[in-house]
Amino acid sequence: MNYGKRGVRAKQRALNSKTTKLGRKLILTLVKLALASVIGIVICAVCAGLGAYKGILASTPQIHLSDVVATGEATIVYDCEGNEIDQYVSMNSNRIQINSMDLIPKHLGDAFVALEDKRFYKHNGVDFEGIVRSAVHFIQSMGKTKEGASTITQQLLKNTIFTTWTEENGNMIKMFKRKFQEQYLALAISERFTKEEVLLRYMNAINLGQNTLGVESASQRYFGKSCSDLTLSECAVIASITQNPTGLDPIRFPESNAKRRLDCLNNMLELEFITDAEYEEAIADTEAVYNRIELHDLDVQTAVNTTAGSYFSDAVYEQVRDDLINIAGYSESMAETLLTSGGLRIESTMDPTIQAICDEEFSNPENFPENVYWYLNYALTVYGADEQQYNFSKENMMTWFKDNLDKGFNLIFSSQDAAYEAIATYRSAMLADLGIADREDNYLETISMTAQPQAAMTIQDQSTGYVVAIVGGRGTKEGRRTLNRATDAKRSPGSTFKVLAAFAPALDSAGQTLATPYLDAPFNFSDGTPCRNWYSGYRGINSIRDGIRESLNIVAAKTETVITPQLGYDYLLNFGFTTLTDGVWLRDSTGEERFYTDVNQTLALGGLTYGATPLELTAGYAAIANMGAYIEPKLYTRVTNTDGDILLDNTNPTSRQVIKETTAFLLTDAMVDVIRGVGGTGTSCNFSSTMAIAGKTGTSTDYNDVWFAGFTPYYTCSVWSGYDNNVHMRTERPGREVDLSKTLWTAIMKRVHENLPDEKFTTPQGIVRAEVCTMSGLQPIPGVCTTTRGEYFAAGTAPTDPCNIHYVGDVCHYDLLPASPECPMKVPGNLDLPFQEDPSLLQGSAAITPEGETADGSDSPHCQHDAAFFANPDYEAILAQQAWEITERDLAAQQEALQDPGIDPNAQ
């Protein structure tokens, strides 16, 4: 820098220049204007905020303490004719009000505070510290996770005053307004009412799962006693449900509840609500507390319950709840609240006439095997000294019997008396081991027996996707949302998957036809496991139509191999199956982890990791019945709220084409043969000679699962039967059980169609008929192919090549194969050539000739006398030797003919 005299003078002149002064004034003016604008904007924002604040406060409801109580309205379910068939609990039917904190143990209130609002006794209704903490957490997680900051006071207001919060549907403005009003009222409530009054009303209002509202009804449901008698351990269980009444249900998801319960106890210890000794006692009770819940639940299920609802109603509840979450956008807790106390009106798809038929046939003992077996569900609690308890489950009982008396013990009994004898034996042994006298006051038993074999079914209108009837089990339904075998039980679909996983994709996109032949001969899967038929032996060459009609395992497995299991798996996904897996690690029976996948060759035979449900199997077959268009099965048409607003609408169901119309027709026509064809496995299901009927039988390995899935132009129905604990069904008489599914299907569908006009299956455009050789599935050679039949084809797929099994022309006299052009031993004749398998099958196959002889599937299509043969320098000597062998063979044949008077030695 220039600090000399000249430099300083120059600087002074620059500072005093007019241009510089004007520039400085302009900049200063602009800064003042900007500052004034910012101040103006801030003032406007503050005014707008104050205006909005006053507006929100003005619209905040004026309340009294008497207003802050839970309200609710029952959800009503109707059948398709408008008749009420069920209610989902309302406030008056499932809430037991408690009017004094003296009736609630201190531990229970503390448990809710520890989990839901740690600073409940410190803040004034709004936890500003928690709000800041929640905001920081939201920012740190980049908005991926949220941490709740609502206090117990705010939650009480949400469940009693702001009951329309379930209708916000993610609207941020409505939610902000409601949150602001909640906080305002929470502050007001905290000034006017004590913490105990707020907490009491909160514990009376909350949803605690299993259709219970409030702590008293929850205590009765889970423990069978008043909440005043709850222990610390039990209080923590109930308090842990609040966050997610379904996912933290201690009956259905005890593991999840247990994790939340541990958090509760840890928080209570941290807040000094409990002592170290109380904490340790509660921790030690962890396993026992859930055993007590399970035991009481068994009592509830076995008790006579006139409000058990129906399997259909249970399924409606599950589907509506899921759709409220996945379609309408409600959270899980919001959906549960709407269903249990939101006053919804659900128009179900149940047809009361068809449902009544199903219920009657499932109650008819003539449809079931004469010998009823009983599956025992048992639990034992033994009381020792100092109130110590010992709990024993049915699994413990089964292990004891296998180790001590019967290695084949499986909890299945031929009579209830036999079951009680086993119970007495086991109970006495357990009491003796503990050194406790065998007296009734020393133990408590929970005993239930379920008739076996069990069965389940669904019926669907394939044109709409509406499920019109469901039966989830045989016998009296003894509780709500119990095991529904029609919608929840995943069982091996057996041979019903041959159509869906193998033959449907083969015809639809793999270039095969109903006439495509396969060789029913010994075949191993890629891991070396033999594929076995349900009958003894093998049946040689059979077409896909034959494979469907007679349920040929090897034909289906080979088809799956040729088209690839991946294609079959993809088609099953498109058919709506949600229980499949393309890979999962699971522990096997030995405890070792193994990799399981449904993308394998056994897919065609129903070899699944988890299984399939009757509901989804019915929907898959309904897609075939609906000309290849799949419609997701629906149990309701519309759901409205108390104001009549539509929340969910299925009145215009959408469909997707999963197979071509022509493919659907071809599969249907082949399945008609199952019912009416010679050798069909479902001929006993032919309930009408004039109504079109198609179907498919299904059995799994060892007959653990038996199915029949079929349809008419009106309805699709599938029936499953089996033992709940996977015992194999009896195949011998008397007491044969493997026909149960077909018996029930026929009895039900016959009555369902009694008053319906006879209809035929629709034939779509693009179907042609052609004559084929029954052996090759190709065009028959006149005068050579002696057995032919007509077959349906999709246009453009009828065979154009001549039969490749029946051969007429030059025959090599030595090899007895079609003669090569160079063959010197050719004579006119005809032959039955060995069946040529697809190359993908050669590794696991042993070919069989039409005469039943085993042959190499890679046999050459012509004799050995080709160019390669004549390239051998010794070919002349070989030919001479072969000529001599021909002469000797012919002479031997003539000698044999002379010795057998029934053979003409001169015959050609």
Side-chain angles (χ1 to χ4, degrees), residues 372-380 394 397-398 400-401 405-406 409-428 445-452:
V372 180
Y373 291 83
W374 299 93
Y375 178 42
L376 174 64
N377 200 338
Y378 177 72
L380 170 68
K394 66 181 180 183
M397 180 181 184
M398 187 160 62
W400 184 86
F401 265 94
L405 295 177
D406 181 5
F409 186 79
N410 56 15
L411 296 171
I412 298 292
F413 298 91
S414 59
S415 68
Q416 292 187 337
D417 290 340
Y420 280 111
E421 290 177 7
I423 290 171
T425 300
Y426 178 68
R427 181 187 63 237
S428 297
E445 291 177 310
T446 301
I447 302 170
S448 66
M449 299 186 204
T450 308
Q452 303 291 323

Side-chain angles (χ1 to χ4, degrees), residues 61-71 97 99 101 120 153 156-157 160-161 185-186 188-202 204-205:
Q62 300 297 314
I63 63 169
H64 303 281
L65 184 59
S66 58
D67 296 326
V68 190
V69 294
T71 59
Q97 292 282 354
N99 298 318
M101 284 293 288
F120 175 71
T153 312
L156 171 62
L157 289 165
T160 56
I161 303 301
L185 290 179
I189 286 177
S190 296
E191 290 179 356
R192 298 162 55 190
F193 311 129
T194 67
K195 292 290 184 180
E196 287 71 24
E197 289 173 323
V198 171
L199 188 58
L200 175 63
R201 281 159 175 75
Y202 170 80
N204 273 325

Side-chain angles (χ1 to χ4, degrees), residues 550-711:
E550 301 173 26
S551 197
L552 306 178
N553 288 353
I554 291 177
V555 171
K558 286 186 172 183
T559 303
E560 192 74 65
T561 303
V562 171
I563 68 171
T564 74
Q566 184 64 57
L567 182 63
Y569 180 86
D570 293 340
Y571 266 80
L572 288 175
L573 292 179
N574 213 16
F575 272 119
F577 290 94
T578 62
T579 57
L580 309 179
T581 177
D582 58 2
V584 62
W585 287 92
L586 298 172
R587 294 191 182 277
D588 60 17
S589 57
T590 66
E592 294 185 5
E593 280 203 345
R594 287 181 54 196
F595 183 76
Y596 293 85
T597 177
D598 295 334
V599 186
N600 62 68
Q601 293 164 288
T602 63
L603 188 63
L605 308 181
L608 302 181
T609 304
Y610 300 111
T613 66
L615 179 68
E616 292 191 347
L617 186 71
T618 302
Y621 272 81
I624 300 175
N626 194 35
M627 300 302 289
Y630 173 85
I631 304 176
E632 183 179 353
K634 285 297 183 181
L635 301 167
Y636 66 90
T637 55
R638 192 165 55 180
V639 176
T640 57
N641 62 16
T642 52
D643 296 326
D645 301 322
I646 298 174
L647 303 183
L648 296 169
D649 191 350
N650 286 326
T651 53
N652 294 303
T654 58
S655 65
R656 63 172 183 266
Q657 201 72 26
V658 295
I659 55 175
K660 304 181 185 77
E661 290 187 355
T662 52
T663 304
F665 169 82
L666 295 174
L667 293 171
T668 299
D669 191 69
M671 285 190 284
V672 170
D673 285 356
V674 173
I675 306 293
R676 293 175 178 154
V678 177
T681 56
T683 54
S684 63
C685 298
N686 188 17
F687 63 80
S688 172
S689 60
T690 53
M691 178 71 74
I693 309 170
K696 181 69 187 72
T697 53
T699 56
S700 65
T701 304
D702 295 328
Y703 295 94
N704 287 348
D705 301 279
V706 179
W707 300 76
F708 190 82
F711 53 87

Side-chain angles (χ1 to χ4, degrees), residues 5 41 61 80 88 105 143 177 211 213 215 298 338 365 433 456 466 510 529 579 585 631 645 666 754 781 785 883:
K5 291 182 178 180
I41 292 172
C80 69
Y88 301 144
K177 178 181 178 181
N211 294 329
L213 297 176
V215 293
L298 288 173
L338 277 173
D433 288 345
Y466 294 160
T529 304
T579 57
W585 287 92
I631 304 176
D645 301 322
L666 295 174
E754 277 180 349
I781 301 173
C785 296

Side-chain angles (χ1 to χ4, degrees), residues 174 317 801 823:
K174 291 182 178 180
Y317 185 100
D801 294 331
C823 179

Side-chain angles (χ1 to χ4, degrees), residues 763-896:
T763 303
Q765 292 183 347
I767 293 293
V768 298
R769 190 172 177 84
E771 199 75 9
V772 297
C773 171
T774 57
M775 299 292 285
S776 65
L778 301 175
Q779 282 191 353
I781 301 173
V784 177
C785 296
T786 56
T787 56
T788 63
R789 64 178 172 84
E791 183 57 273
Y792 288 111
F793 297 90
T797 66
T800 56
D801 294 331
C803 175
N804 59 5
I805 289 180
H806 299 108
Y807 171 79
V808 60
D810 290 336
V811 176
C812 175
H813 199 181
Y814 180 77
D815 284 344
L816 300 180
L817 288 173
S820 299
E822 301 91 346
C823 179
M825 299 178 178
K826 62 180 67 171
V827 295
N830 56 71
L831 296 170
D832 285 349
L833 302 178
F835 183 80
Q836 298 296 311
E837 296 229 81
D838 187 279
S840 64
L841 303 174
L842 296 182
Q843 182 179 359
S845 290
I848 294 181
T849 66
E851 291 76 20
E853 299 176 353
T854 302
D856 180 0
S858 61
D859 279 351
S860 172
H862 57 75
C863 76
Q864 62 183 290
H865 306 119
D866 54 12
F869 175 85
F870 287 104
N872 187 338
D874 297 327
Y875 77 87
E876 291 181 346
I878 297 172
L879 285 175
Q881 175 65 28
Q882 291 178 349
W884 179 83
E885 290 179 16
I886 291 172
T887 301
E888 291 296 313
R889 188 171 63 194
D890 291 346
L891 288 173
Q894 290 176 6
Q895 290 295 326
E896 183 180 355

Side-chain angles (χ1 to χ4, degrees), residues 516-538:
T516 298
Y518 283 92
L519 195 61
D520 182 13
F523 177 71
N524 294 339
F525 294 115
S526 58
D527 63 358
T529 304
C531 179
R532 304 188 186 281
N533 285 317
W534 57 267
Y535 47 85
S536 60
Y538 304 94

Side-chain angles (χ1 to χ4, degrees), residues 459-474:
I459 301 180
Q460 179 176 326
D461 180 343
Q462 59 257 23
S463 65
T464 61
Y466 294 160
V467 178
V468 297
I470 285 178
V471 180
R474 170 190 184 187

